[in-house]
Amino acid sequence: MFNVKGKVVVITGASSGIGEATARLLAQQGAHVVIGARRVERLHALASSIRSEGESVEFQALDVTRLEEMQSIVDLALTRYGRLDVVVNNAGLMPLSPLEALKVDEWNRMIDVNIRGVLHGIAAGLPVMRKQGAGQFINIASIGAYAVTPTASVYCATKYAVRAITEGLRLEVGGDIRVTLVSPGVTESELAETITDVGAREFMKDYRRVSIPASAIAQSILYAISQPAEVDVNEIVVRPTATLV
């Protein structure tokens, strides 16, 4: 049913949430998944689970803020499987806070992971895809890439940047390489656990009462990958059907 069997897919931020759900789903559909994240013990458990189902996976510790580590996981994919079909730039942070809280270290960390991490994924994967004459980047943004909310100024700025980078990449690469932006609405994940500001944390608890499972975003990623080579799904926004009153 899906045109993903045998494709080699690198997924960042794969130790939980959307990254984990995507790795499981794509492996079930016959893709070779190469997963990376900082929490190696989580990767090991996920890889063991995928392999127990007879599916294909490799894993490696990955800090997307370090270009050499991003290049290393792409090299792992090439060494193990001989090609690179898709890079899912999923790793991200969301430590929300009011600007007046001056959590500068958290701002900088978000910029490093959410923006620089995507750029590193592109830098590592693009030369390979150019040489192959084919490939696909799937960059995970957020509904925060379309509207700014209080306490989310910096987070939204990083996601606006991901949206801009994705569109710029699409315009530049031409017909051989596909580029997709996936923007989740409120999704079950561990993102909110990085919030240290008390007010923002309490607000997010209430805001996330209505959410969709990470598997819903994985299905959107699968849809984008599975299209025929001549079809490029550029942008997908996925929100819960229900809304908070």
Short mmCIF file of all heavy atoms in Angstrom, two decimals, residues 68-99:
data_model
loop_
_atom_site.label_atom_id
_atom_site.label_comp_id
_atom_site.label_asym_id
_atom_site.label_seq_id
_atom_site.Cartn_x
_atom_site.Cartn_y
_atom_site.Cartn_z
N GLU A 68 29.26 17.34 13.03
CA GLU A 68 30.01 16.10 12.81
C GLU A 68 29.19 14.88 13.23
O GLU A 68 29.31 13.80 12.63
CB GLU A 68 31.35 16.12 13.54
CG GLU A 68 31.28 16.22 15.06
CD GLU A 68 31.24 17.64 15.58
OE1 GLU A 68 30.83 18.56 14.83
OE2 GLU A 68 31.62 17.85 16.77
N GLU A 69 28.33 15.02 14.24
CA GLU A 69 27.50 13.89 14.65
C GLU A 69 26.38 13.65 13.64
O GLU A 69 26.00 12.49 13.40
CB GLU A 69 26.93 14.13 16.05
CG GLU A 69 28.01 14.12 17.14
CD GLU A 69 27.45 14.06 18.54
OE1 GLU A 69 26.24 13.73 18.70
OE2 GLU A 69 28.21 14.34 19.50
N MET A 70 25.85 14.71 13.06
CA MET A 70 24.84 14.54 12.02
C MET A 70 25.44 13.88 10.79
O MET A 70 24.84 12.99 10.18
CB MET A 70 24.24 15.90 11.66
CG MET A 70 22.94 15.83 10.88
SD MET A 70 21.57 15.13 11.81
CE MET A 70 20.89 14.02 10.56
N GLN A 71 26.63 14.29 10.43
CA GLN A 71 27.31 13.66 9.30
C GLN A 71 27.62 12.20 9.58
O GLN A 71 27.52 11.34 8.70
CB GLN A 71 28.59 14.43 8.98
CG GLN A 71 28.34 15.80 8.38
CD GLN A 71 29.59 16.63 8.20
OE1 GLN A 71 30.53 16.54 8.99
NE2 GLN A 71 29.61 17.44 7.16
N SER A 72 27.93 11.90 10.84
CA SER A 72 28.26 10.53 11.23
C SER A 72 27.06 9.60 11.10
O SER A 72 27.20 8.46 10.65
CB SER A 72 28.79 10.50 12.66
OG SER A 72 29.09 9.19 13.06
N ILE A 73 25.85 10.08 11.45
CA ILE A 73 24.69 9.19 11.35
C ILE A 73 24.29 9.00 9.89
O ILE A 73 23.81 7.93 9.50
CB ILE A 73 23.52 9.70 12.22
CG1 ILE A 73 22.53 8.55 12.47
CG2 ILE A 73 22.81 10.89 11.60
CD1 ILE A 73 21.50 8.84 13.54
N VAL A 74 24.51 10.00 9.06
CA VAL A 74 24.29 9.82 7.62
C VAL A 74 25.30 8.81 7.07
O VAL A 74 24.94 7.94 6.27
CB VAL A 74 24.39 11.17 6.88
CG1 VAL A 74 24.49 10.97 5.37
CG2 VAL A 74 23.17 12.04 7.21
N ASP A 75 26.54 8.91 7.53
CA ASP A 75 27.56 7.93 7.11
C ASP A 75 27.17 6.52 7.54
O ASP A 75 27.42 5.55 6.80
CB ASP A 75 28.92 8.29 7.70
CG ASP A 75 29.54 9.52 7.06
OD1 ASP A 75 29.09 9.90 5.95
OD2 ASP A 75 30.46 10.11 7.66
N LEU A 76 26.58 6.39 8.73
CA LEU A 76 26.11 5.08 9.19
C LEU A 76 25.07 4.51 8.23
O LEU A 76 25.12 3.32 7.88
CB LEU A 76 25.52 5.20 10.60
CG LEU A 76 24.83 3.95 11.17
CD1 LEU A 76 25.81 2.79 11.30
CD2 LEU A 76 24.18 4.28 12.52
N ALA A 77 24.14 5.36 7.81
CA ALA A 77 23.11 4.91 6.86
C ALA A 77 23.75 4.46 5.55
O ALA A 77 23.37 3.41 4.99
CB ALA A 77 22.12 6.05 6.61
N LEU A 78 24.71 5.21 5.07
CA LEU A 78 25.37 4.87 3.81
C LEU A 78 26.18 3.59 3.93
O LEU A 78 26.17 2.74 3.03
CB LEU A 78 26.27 6.02 3.36
CG LEU A 78 25.55 7.32 2.98
CD1 LEU A 78 26.57 8.43 2.73
CD2 LEU A 78 24.67 7.11 1.75
N THR A 79 26.89 3.44 5.04
CA THR A 79 27.71 2.26 5.25
C THR A 79 26.84 1.01 5.36
O THR A 79 27.16 -0.05 4.79
CB THR A 79 28.56 2.41 6.52
OG1 THR A 79 29.42 3.54 6.36
CG2 THR A 79 29.40 1.17 6.77
N ARG A 80 25.75 1.13 6.09
CA ARG A 80 24.90 -0.04 6.35
C ARG A 80 24.00 -0.39 5.17
O ARG A 80 23.79 -1.54 4.86
CB ARG A 80 24.05 0.24 7.60
CG ARG A 80 23.12 -0.89 7.99
CD ARG A 80 23.87 -2.13 8.43
NE ARG A 80 22.94 -3.18 8.83
CZ ARG A 80 22.36 -4.03 8.00
NH1 ARG A 80 22.62 -3.95 6.70
NH2 ARG A 80 21.54 -4.95 8.46
N TYR A 81 23.46 0.65 4.51
CA TYR A 81 22.43 0.39 3.50
C TYR A 81 22.77 0.91 2.10
O TYR A 81 22.04 0.64 1.15
CB TYR A 81 21.10 1.02 3.94
CG TYR A 81 20.60 0.48 5.25
CD1 TYR A 81 20.54 1.28 6.39
CD2 TYR A 81 20.18 -0.85 5.37
CE1 TYR A 81 20.07 0.79 7.60
CE2 TYR A 81 19.71 -1.35 6.57
CZ TYR A 81 19.66 -0.53 7.69
OH TYR A 81 19.21 -1.03 8.87
N GLY A 82 23.85 1.68 1.96
CA GLY A 82 24.31 2.08 0.65
C GLY A 82 23.67 3.30 0.03
O GLY A 82 24.04 3.71 -1.07
N ARG A 83 22.70 3.91 0.74
CA ARG A 83 22.06 5.10 0.20
C ARG A 83 21.33 5.84 1.31
O ARG A 83 21.25 5.37 2.45
CB ARG A 83 21.10 4.78 -0.94
CG ARG A 83 19.93 3.90 -0.58
CD ARG A 83 19.04 3.63 -1.78
NE ARG A 83 18.36 4.82 -2.26
CZ ARG A 83 18.68 5.48 -3.38
NH1 ARG A 83 19.66 5.05 -4.15
NH2 ARG A 83 18.00 6.56 -3.76
N LEU A 84 20.78 7.00 0.96
CA LEU A 84 20.01 7.81 1.91
C LEU A 84 18.80 8.35 1.17
O LEU A 84 18.94 9.16 0.26
CB LEU A 84 20.86 8.97 2.46
CG LEU A 84 20.14 9.98 3.35
CD1 LEU A 84 19.72 9.34 4.67
CD2 LEU A 84 21.04 11.19 3.61
N ASP A 85 17.62 7.90 1.55
CA ASP A 85 16.40 8.33 0.86
C ASP A 85 15.68 9.48 1.55
O ASP A 85 15.12 10.34 0.87
CB ASP A 85 15.45 7.13 0.71
CG ASP A 85 16.03 6.06 -0.19
OD1 ASP A 85 16.25 6.35 -1.38
OD2 ASP A 85 16.29 4.95 0.31
N VAL A 86 15.68 9.48 2.87
CA VAL A 86 14.90 10.49 3.60
C VAL A 86 15.66 10.89 4.87
O VAL A 86 16.21 10.04 5.56
CB VAL A 86 13.51 9.95 4.01
CG1 VAL A 86 12.68 11.06 4.66
CG2 VAL A 86 12.77 9.35 2.83
N VAL A 87 15.65 12.18 5.15
CA VAL A 87 16.08 12.69 6.47
C VAL A 87 14.87 13.34 7.12
O VAL A 87 14.27 14.27 6.55
CB VAL A 87 17.23 13.71 6.36
CG1 VAL A 87 17.52 14.32 7.73
CG2 VAL A 87 18.49 13.06 5.79
N VAL A 88 14.49 12.85 8.30
CA VAL A 88 13.41 13.45 9.07
C VAL A 88 14.05 14.28 10.18
O VAL A 88 14.56 13.74 11.17
CB VAL A 88 12.47 12.38 9.67
CG1 VAL A 88 11.34 13.06 10.46
CG2 VAL A 88 11.89 11.49 8.58
N ASN A 89 14.06 15.59 9.99
CA ASN A 89 14.63 16.51 10.98
C ASN A 89 13.57 16.79 12.04
O ASN A 89 12.77 17.73 11.93
CB ASN A 89 15.07 17.80 10.29
CG ASN A 89 16.35 17.63 9.51
OD1 ASN A 89 17.34 17.10 10.01
ND2 ASN A 89 16.34 18.08 8.26
N ASN A 90 13.57 15.97 13.07
CA ASN A 90 12.50 15.99 14.07
C ASN A 90 12.95 16.53 15.43
O ASN A 90 12.12 17.03 16.19
CB ASN A 90 11.97 14.56 14.24
CG ASN A 90 11.10 14.42 15.47
OD1 ASN A 90 9.99 14.93 15.53
ND2 ASN A 90 11.62 13.73 16.49
N ALA A 91 14.22 16.46 15.75
CA ALA A 91 14.68 16.86 17.08
C ALA A 91 14.27 18.29 17.40
O ALA A 91 14.40 19.19 16.56
CB ALA A 91 16.20 16.72 17.18
N GLY A 92 13.75 18.51 18.61
CA GLY A 92 13.33 19.85 18.98
C GLY A 92 13.14 20.01 20.48
O GLY A 92 12.98 19.03 21.21
N LEU A 93 13.14 21.26 20.92
CA LEU A 93 12.93 21.61 22.33
C LEU A 93 11.85 22.69 22.42
O LEU A 93 11.67 23.47 21.49
CB LEU A 93 14.22 22.14 22.95
CG LEU A 93 15.40 21.18 23.07
CD1 LEU A 93 16.61 21.93 23.62
CD2 LEU A 93 15.06 20.01 23.97
N MET A 94 11.16 22.73 23.57
CA MET A 94 10.09 23.73 23.76
C MET A 94 10.04 24.25 25.20
O MET A 94 9.00 24.17 25.86
CB MET A 94 8.74 23.12 23.37
CG MET A 94 7.63 24.13 23.22
SD MET A 94 6.00 23.34 22.89
CE MET A 94 5.70 22.51 24.46
N PRO A 95 11.13 24.80 25.74
CA PRO A 95 11.07 25.38 27.10
C PRO A 95 10.45 26.77 27.07
O PRO A 95 11.15 27.80 27.04
CB PRO A 95 12.54 25.41 27.52
CG PRO A 95 13.29 25.56 26.24
CD PRO A 95 12.49 24.82 25.20
N LEU A 96 9.13 26.84 27.11
CA LEU A 96 8.43 28.11 27.00
C LEU A 96 8.63 28.97 28.24
O LEU A 96 8.77 28.48 29.36
CB LEU A 96 6.92 27.86 26.81
CG LEU A 96 6.51 26.95 25.66
CD1 LEU A 96 4.99 26.87 25.59
CD2 LEU A 96 7.09 27.41 24.34
N SER A 97 8.59 30.28 28.04
CA SER A 97 8.68 31.24 29.14
C SER A 97 8.42 32.64 28.61
O SER A 97 8.66 32.90 27.42
CB SER A 97 10.07 31.20 29.81
OG SER A 97 11.07 31.63 28.89
N PRO A 98 7.94 33.55 29.45
CA PRO A 98 7.80 34.94 29.01
C PRO A 98 9.18 35.52 28.71
O PRO A 98 10.18 35.16 29.36
CB PRO A 98 7.17 35.65 30.21
CG PRO A 98 6.70 34.58 31.12
CD PRO A 98 7.52 33.36 30.85
N LEU A 99 9.25 36.43 27.76
CA LEU A 99 10.55 37.04 27.44
C LEU A 99 11.15 37.74 28.66
O LEU A 99 12.37 37.72 28.85
CB LEU A 99 10.39 38.03 26.28
CG LEU A 99 10.10 37.40 24.91
CD1 LEU A 99 9.77 38.48 23.89
CD2 LEU A 99 11.28 36.56 24.44
#
